[in-house]
Amino acid sequence: MEKIGFFVCHCGSNIKATVDPNVVLDGVRSIPGIVVAEQYPYMCAKTGQNMIADAIKTNGLTGIVIAACSPRMHEATFRKVAEAAGLNPYMVEIANIREHVSWIHKNKEEGSQKAVALAKAAIAKVKLNAPLFPEENSVIKRALVIGGGIAGIQAALDIAEAGYEVDLVESSPSIGGKMAQLDKTFPTLDCSACILTPKMVDAASHDKINIMTYSEVEKVEGFVGNFTVTVRKKARSVCMEKCTGCGDCWNKCPVKNIPLEFDLGLQNRKAIYIPFAQALPLVPVIDREHCIMMKSGKCGLCQTVCQPGAIEFDQEDELVTQKYGAVVTATGFETINLDKFGEYAYNDSKDVITSFEFERITHGAGPTGGELKRLSDGRKPKSVTFIQCVGSRDISGRGKPYCSKICCMYTAKHAVLIKDKYPDVNVNVFYIDMRTPGKAYDEFYRRGVEEYGVKYIKGQVGKVVDKGNCLTISAVDLLDNVKMELETDMVILATAIQPVPSAKPLASMLSASIDTNNFMTEAHAKLRPVESPTAGVFLAGAGQGPKDIPETVGQAGAAAAKVIGLLSKDVLLSNPCTAMVDINACNGCSLCAPVCPYGAISYGPATVNDHGLKTIERVSHINQALCQGCGACVVVCPSGAMDLQGFSNKQLLAEVDALC
Amino acid sequence: MLNPAFETKEILLNSRTIAEKCMKCGRCSAACPSYEQMDIRPHQFVSYLMRGDVDGLLSSTTLWKCLSCFACVQRCPRGVAPAQLIESVRLAAIRQKGGDGITVEDVVGELDDEMPQQLLVAAFRKYKG
């Protein structure tokens, strides 16, 4: 016979003002099984907790119901109280009479009656509760960081500094990411490479960090604390151990006209190349698609000149499988394609460039050696025009609905960089809104206007036409209501950013959710911003949403702290409110696995009891460590074999019966 | 004919304000008691100057509708002081047309107890017509 304790919380006046506790107690007292029914102003306070603990011990309660605030607030508190008093913590039910009653109703009489109804439902449920026990899973003390930009580098460094092994996987031949391509950083205008390369070197020389460049994640299995990940190390065709990075090979390579990805195609590279001078590791890659030796078997010049004999044409892709306790995704961003924005003449004119391309043009190692030049005729422009929000805040389908966040500031930076080097150049910026929240950001932009004479015009440009020797721009100055037709020599488009295309397949491998724009989703937008809803997967950098360098570094550190917290545990307790399959009822129809968002369901043979006849059937199997208890499988199961522990169909129906 | 570029520079200099500090928030116009009477509003006045359109300002009614109450100066979050800019353009106009302003002698006969002192000060900056 069950012995149920019932407790009503006043929550000060939060509940008591709209719900009469005495009415609630009177309403449940006569329910069979209720042996204690009490009230207290603050059940969550120490005195309230002691009251529950004493009642459990004195009466030998088999279950308790607390009519109080949302279980999100204090379910964990009361479960701890129960456990300390010797009751299984899953024998606790909460009737939410604050958020669901007192806060949303005005009439005390009706409110009290509704509270009684909810209390009855919770009592009906708790009678069917069964003790549950969390499973213990061991934690692999190694982390995987995916993406070798500043986010990944920072996360890897922080995790490694805490003493854990880290594998840093990067798809391009060098770590460094987007930050390596930038010239200066706002708002201090310090040189991007000068602050990035020391971190790259720290990561590369750290004895706890294993960098895998030119590599991609191919397969992910497992769960928090115990992921098994396969990484494809693409054939570099150069032996990492033997190569000294001397450069003889790429100097001799006869294939010259391959657009250099690092320079956004503004400079060319060889078929064997390093992306940039400070590349780490300083070991070239052979681009097999363009290498003459790989295509026709004739050439091998690089092999001839390589004194250490590092060139290995016969290298093959290598698959490396490793176990990890935690994963950080730091996959980053790219600029959107501008084919749909014909009005800005990006595809028609060499003098219309993206801000990211300008970053290379103003860079000392870029295609013009840092000189401001028109790419069409090499002439120094007299006037440069920036257009902001190109493809951002655009719900027409051509662009992205969100604000790309970094453009206002990098445009302010570019404008100042031009004015600083060439004060005689006219610089106009067309903007919709100026968004400069950040330490010393607005001051920086205002300095551009007030000290450097950058002109800001509110209004989006309607059309850009390349007239050969100059470009014409049609716009409206919205603040003065003046139509503007102006001539300029160069147009720079602050192009919207988006997650890299590999983020989506990676998210599905990790069972980590992504939003409609393919940004990684966080577990809670405010309170769990560096965690994926999938346990053990953490987020850093612009792959989670547009962000600048300081925010990215901050988030990477936060993600690393979460990883360190996870890896410092020897075992993880799983939530026992997971799905459970009755293998005798399961008919192996395979409807459940496709709806599982966590990849927790697989199928395999098991001995089942078919009306006394023991046979081996293919049935559903649930990985308890992966299951998050969402219940999707329970809903689709046609044979009623699936059920959720702690929230079984029987329990829920009992609640419904108690209500009506 | 005046050189407009030179004139703009001089007007800005005389106003002792930095028009580039304007962020176009509109508080000056929102605070202005003569807003309805003006053809170029205080915030536009700043833009006109930054564009160098002095002719437009010289021919505007705003130039003489401004009460010089300095509400805009007091409210401006950036220290631009539109009233001082207007004042500076007035001085340019006065210099251009030659002195025909109100004198102390003209004012004596017009004085009454209800007249705000501010109006008197403003009157000295205006033409008799």
Side-chain angles (χ1 to χ4, degrees), chain A residues 446 449-450 479-480 482, chain B residues 20-21 24 47 51 78:
Chain A
R446 290 310 305 175
V449 176
E450 293 162 26
L479 294 179
D480 288 341
V482 188
Chain B
E20 286 79 10
K21 285 199 181 294
K24 307 194 176 187
S47 309
R51 274 210 308 276
R78 304 285 301 170

Side-chain angles (χ1 to χ4, degrees), chain A residues 431 442 445-446 449-450 453 455-458 477 479-480 482, chain B residues 18-24 43-44 46-48 50-51 78:
Chain A
Y431 70 98
D442 200 67
Y445 139 67
R446 290 310 305 175
V449 176
E450 293 162 26
K455 290 195 186 68
Y456 275 80
I457 303 152
K458 182 173 169 71
D477 182 334
L479 294 179
D480 288 341
V482 188
Chain B
I18 302 167
E20 286 79 10
K21 285 199 181 294
C22 174
M23 297 199 308
K24 307 194 176 187
H43 69 283
Q44 292 173 296
V46 180
S47 309
Y48 268 64
M50 291 181 71
R51 274 210 308 276
R78 304 285 301 170

Side-chain angles (χ1 to χ4, degrees), chain A residues 137-146 167 217 219-231 320-329 506-512 532-538 563 566-567 572 598-599 623 625-626 628:
Chain A
N137 298 300
S138 64
V139 179
I140 309 283
K141 310 263 179 189
R142 189 185 188 96
L144 172 67
V145 177
I146 304 166
D167 286 352
V217 173
K219 192 175 160 197
V220 181
E221 286 175 319
F223 46 88
V224 54
N226 202 344
F227 292 103
T228 304
V229 180
T230 305
V231 173
V320 182
T321 301
Q322 182 68 257
K323 279 180 170 283
Y324 303 97
V327 179
V328 178
T329 69
L506 178 69
S508 72
M509 271 190 264
L510 288 165
S511 301
S532 158
T534 301
V537 177
F538 302 91
V563 170
L566 172 61
L567 298 191
L572 289 175
Y598 307 101
N623 184 328
L626 277 180
Q628 303 289 313

Side-chain angles (χ1 to χ4, degrees), chain A residues 40-187:
Chain A
Y40 189 69
Y42 294 101
M43 269 311 166
C44 60
K46 199 73 207 163
T47 320
Q49 293 187 24
N50 289 342
M51 194 173 177
I52 296 172
D54 289 345
I56 292 171
K57 288 181 204 156
T58 318
N59 302 288
L61 298 181
T62 58
I64 56 171
V65 172
I66 297 138
C69 55
S70 162
R72 271 198 172 265
M73 283 293 295
H74 279 305
E75 186 175 58
T77 312
F78 295 126
R79 278 184 175 166
K80 273 186 201 151
V81 171
E83 193 167 24
L87 181 67
N88 184 283
Y90 294 90
M91 301 305 288
V92 175
E93 285 299 324
I94 308 282
N96 182 359
I97 61 166
R98 191 177 75 172
E99 283 83 347
H100 287 177
V101 184
S102 66
W103 278 359
I104 53 166
H105 292 291
K106 287 197 173 78
N107 185 310
K108 196 166 182 177
E109 204 171 309
E110 286 174 4
S112 304
Q113 287 313 314
K114 184 174 173 185
V116 171
L118 293 181
K120 282 181 175 169
I123 292 165
K125 186 183 175 210
V126 82
K127 287 183 181 173
L128 297 169
N129 278 19
L132 298 174
F133 302 92
E135 274 184 32
E136 281 190 355
N137 298 300
S138 64
V139 179
I140 309 283
K141 310 263 179 189
R142 189 185 188 96
L144 172 67
V145 177
I146 304 166
I150 182 60
I153 291 172
Q154 185 64 48
L157 278 172
D158 288 347
I159 298 167
E161 275 301 299
Y164 298 105
E165 298 282 339
V166 185
D167 286 352
L168 178 61
V169 174
E170 164 60 40
S171 62
S172 76
S174 169
I175 58 167
K178 293 286 182 289
M179 192 175 166
Q181 293 168 275
L182 307 182
D183 179 30
K184 301 285 196 293
T185 54
F186 58 77

